[in-house]
Amino acid sequence: MTLAALHAALRALPPAPGDTLPVRDVLAAQATVLDAHAELGRALGTPGATAQELLVREHYFRTQERADAAGDREVDGRFEAAVDAIVAGERDTLARLLAEDPALVHARSPYGHRQTILHHVAANGIELWRQWQTPQNICELARLVLDAGADPDATCEPYGHRDTTLTLLVSSCHPAEAGQQAALVKVLCDAGARPNGIDDDGTPLWTAITWGYRDAAEQLVACGARVDNLVFAAALGDLDRVVAYLDGTERAAGPLRICDYGPVLDDQHLLEYALIYAAGMGRREIVEYLLTKQPDLSVIEPIDGATALGMASYAHPAAVRPHGHPAIVALLEQHR
């Protein structure tokens, strides 16, 4: 059974739009579907897991105890139908559901990720059977939800820290594979999502850079994200700013932290971090310039533990760079 088929099978279960059921009853019904397909553990990345274990993980409850504690929450059939319509690209269904119940745009999933309808357009931090595609009309669907009154900067915490739709989007492979990621960044920012993040700390741009999504990063800057430090300038391919930061003409406010929840970068190695992320984003001109500054090529970045060579070699799973950046790999190998 594919993820698309699993989505269809689970979508057919109660509650129907207009009805509600407790979380525990919905999980029990979903478990019967999963039990009938032993191969789903492999498809969902957990071979050998029981149906209950898969559901606890996929619904982001993290533990069985948390799933049990949420058992009395009501699963709203209209909310579930609306997010399923986003996955399937069903504009008319989504529009009808939002018209029938305008409060849906402010509702949250009863599952552990607690996402709103708008969060689901990012295809991230939700059940894998709702991540099998990003439809080509996703921007239109997002505008429908935003025009209905959704908060473009609402937060959720599927990964243990605050995420907005924007930060979920710029770390999601599915919109990138569909060629819709950058366009959806613009839709969100045009609707009021803050390109510098809800804490004005550059978290969306950090997220796009550390996940290697070049088009999304460039669109964030076009929407007003600040390029206000050496690493950002290098990753965005802004050679003039790179030169200015290195010669002291421009100074960044420090210390430099990767996202509001991430590590503080060692200011003794900002040159190396700039090189690493420039290599990951395919900025050959920047890499060539930074190599003239005698960087230590053994330095690793603190998220994935990659060197500049490792970052340039990485073949991105979203097919935005299926073979890495071979020209930059060759350049870095010459300087080893």
Side-chain angles (χ1 to χ4, degrees), residues 206 210 255-266 273 277 301-304:
W206 270 122
T210 56
L256 197 56
R257 178 185 292 276
I258 296 181
C259 302
D260 65 345
Y261 52 85
V264 174
L265 294 178
D266 181 350
Y273 296 134
Y277 290 114
E301 50 79 37
I303 302 296
D304 297 308

Side-chain angles (χ1 to χ4, degrees), residues 10-31:
L10 295 179
R11 190 179 183 185
L13 296 174
D19 293 334
T20 63
L21 276 178
V23 163
R24 67 171 55 88
D25 292 352
V26 173
L27 295 185
Q30 290 179 344

Side-chain angles (χ1 to χ4, degrees), residues 23-66:
V23 163
R24 67 171 55 88
D25 292 352
V26 173
L27 295 185
Q30 290 179 344
T32 62
V33 174
L34 268 63
D35 279 333
H37 299 277
E39 80 281 4
L40 283 174
R42 293 189 296 276
L44 297 174
T46 313
T50 66
Q52 191 67 23
E53 289 168 341
L54 286 171
L55 290 169
V56 166
R57 190 195 73 167
E58 289 301 316
H59 288 305
Y60 286 75
F61 286 119
R62 303 192 187 282
T63 67
Q64 183 63 56
E65 289 73 22
R66 291 187 183 184

Side-chain angles (χ1 to χ4, degrees), residues 214 278-279 281-291 326-328 330-331 334:
R214 177 169 165 159
M281 297 287 269
R283 308 295 187 182
R284 179 169 181 166
E285 183 181 27
I286 304 297
V287 171
E288 289 175 336
Y289 175 74
L290 293 176
L291 285 172
I328 293 177
L331 187 62
Q334 291 172 16

